[in-house]
Amino acid sequence: MAALRWLTPRRRSATARSVLAGEASAEAARKSAEAAETAERTREAAPGATEPEFPVHGDERAAAFFDLDNTVMQGAAIFHFGRGLYKRKFFETRDLARFAWQQAWFRLAGFEDPEHMQDARDSALSIVKGHRVSELKSIGEEIYDEYMAERIWPGTRALAQAHLDAGQKVWLVTAAPVEIAQVIARRLGLTGALGTVAESIGGVYTGKLVGEPLHGPAKAEAVRALAAAEALDLSRCAAYSDSHNDIPMLSLVGHPYAINPDSKLRKHARELEWRLRDYRTGRKAAKVGIPAAAGVGAVAGGTAAAIALHRRRR
């Protein structure tokens, strides 16, 4: 923490929380990946997916980091998870309506409101408090089949598969709860996932976070921590995201890609000559320059979390 001394107390605290969140997420991701290595995983690209137009070279010190919302999956994972929880009567109809509004805001505006982020954090924590981690994981498996599987972008999945075929590890990086992220990563045959870590004791959620939501700078810290633990050379790694909020993470790696980018990220990527891909209209955006950094665009994860997952627990 010596490097943080020059910051004001308030900024020092925020930076420390980002580092803590990043380290916690990286540790959770590594444990999950170690457990998953013993299980059989399917690594075939989705039907209809096209082979990447650029080479992905095998390199044991390289890995790929993929944002989740609107990069790997259409929409926000937390929204689809919320739909599944509503179906299971975790919260009421009017709460679902508020959640749907948050999802619409995210998809149309392309950025999060800070107040929504705080609301999301509080709501998400209140709903999981007292529930077992194993319960949420089991529900996550069901919800993936019900709402998420058909919303995976074939083009992005093909990119991830290219890295896997080259012998590289591939990680999701998202503000969504790490348990949801791990389910999605395993179903796609990826190495693991970095996500927001909720504190649990004895396998039961306490209603507190470890650090802060894995968003913005915290995602960059998570990737940095994981790279150090895995002995990766970030200058040889690739990252993929749709959001300008992920620029801190994208800027860590040597090969950043803008996937289905929002307007700010598209502008930034063109200025720095990062590669662009757009799968939303069935066409690829103009590709420029050499790839260079990491993906953090889980804007929706934090934005929608609270309003989506709000139920009154008496």
Side-chain angles (χ1 to χ4, degrees):
M1 290 295 181
L4 304 180
R5 289 174 183 167
W6 62 275
L7 297 172
T8 64
R10 182 175 181 178
R11 293 199 55 173
R12 186 183 306 131
S13 176
T15 302
R17 289 197 303 272
S18 291
V19 172
L20 178 59
E23 291 177 347
S25 183
E27 180 63 19
R30 292 193 70 224
K31 288 181 178 179
S32 175
E34 289 171 1
E37 283 178 359
T38 61
E40 181 178 357
R41 294 181 297 189
T42 302
R43 289 186 171 179
E44 295 181 356
T50 57
E51 195 70 19
E53 295 179 1
F54 54 90
V56 179
H57 302 291
D59 185 345
E60 64 180 10
R61 297 199 64 196
F65 302 93
F66 283 78
D67 169 49
L68 177 58
D69 298 340
N70 283 343
T71 302
V72 172
M73 175 186 294
Q74 298 175 43
I78 196 69
F79 169 69
H80 302 308
F81 189 65
R83 291 176 65 191
L85 292 182
Y86 171 73
K87 179 180 178 180
R88 291 160 177 79
K89 303 187 184 303
F90 269 66
F91 52 87
E92 299 178 1
T93 303
R94 64 180 179 181
D95 298 316
L96 181 67
R98 294 175 61 204
F99 177 42
W101 162 247
Q102 286 301 101
Q103 169 71 357
W105 171 271
F106 163 64
R107 299 194 69 171
L108 294 175
F111 63 90
E112 76 280 2
D113 183 312
E115 292 184 5
H116 291 169
M117 289 289 289
Q118 182 64 50
D119 192 17
R121 178 189 307 185
D122 296 342
S123 295
L125 291 174
S126 69
I127 195 171
V128 301
K129 183 178 181 179
H131 284 274
R132 300 198 64 82
V133 175
S134 58
E135 176 190 6
L136 269 294
K137 287 184 177 180
S138 178
I139 290 174
E141 295 282 354
E142 298 172 2
I143 293 175
Y144 178 85
D145 290 327
E146 292 170 0
Y147 300 113
M148 299 179 181
E150 64 183 11
R151 291 177 170 81
I152 302 299
W153 291 108
T156 310
R157 187 173 183 182
L159 294 174
Q161 189 62 41
H163 286 281
L164 293 170
D165 291 343
Q168 297 179 12
K169 293 183 177 181
V170 177
W171 304 84
L172 290 181
V173 185
T174 175
V178 68
E179 290 80 9
I180 300 173
Q182 289 172 350
V183 167
I184 297 169
R186 184 172 55 77
R187 290 300 193 93
L188 295 178
L190 309 184
T191 307
L194 296 160
T196 297
V197 178
E199 181 185 73
S200 63
I201 297 178
V204 177
Y205 291 111
T206 65
K208 299 178 181 179
L209 286 183
V210 178
E212 63 182 22
L214 201 69
H215 177 76
K219 286 186 178 181
E221 292 296 341
V223 169
R224 197 191 307 276
L226 183 63
E230 295 276 313
L232 299 173
D233 182 345
L234 285 172
S235 70
R236 291 147 74 171
C237 292
Y240 301 77
S241 179
D242 73 297
S243 173
H244 70 278
N245 292 286
D246 299 348
I247 288 174
M249 186 165 129
L250 287 168
S251 299
L252 283 179
V253 302
H255 304 284
Y257 294 78
I259 304 294
N260 305 327
D262 61 29
S263 60
K264 289 184 179 180
L265 178 58
R266 183 182 294 274
K267 181 177 184 292
H268 188 84
R270 283 176 171 164
E271 289 175 350
L272 296 184
E273 298 188 331
W274 293 352
R275 285 184 184 259
L276 301 171
R277 294 285 193 281
D278 199 324
Y279 301 117
R280 291 168 295 190
T281 61
R283 64 172 176 80
K284 293 180 180 177
K287 300 183 290 291
V288 278
I290 301 175
V296 192
V299 185
T303 306
I307 301 172
L309 304 180
H310 180 72
R311 90 171 175 186
R312 286 182 296 280
R313 294 171 55 87
R314 299 285 189 235

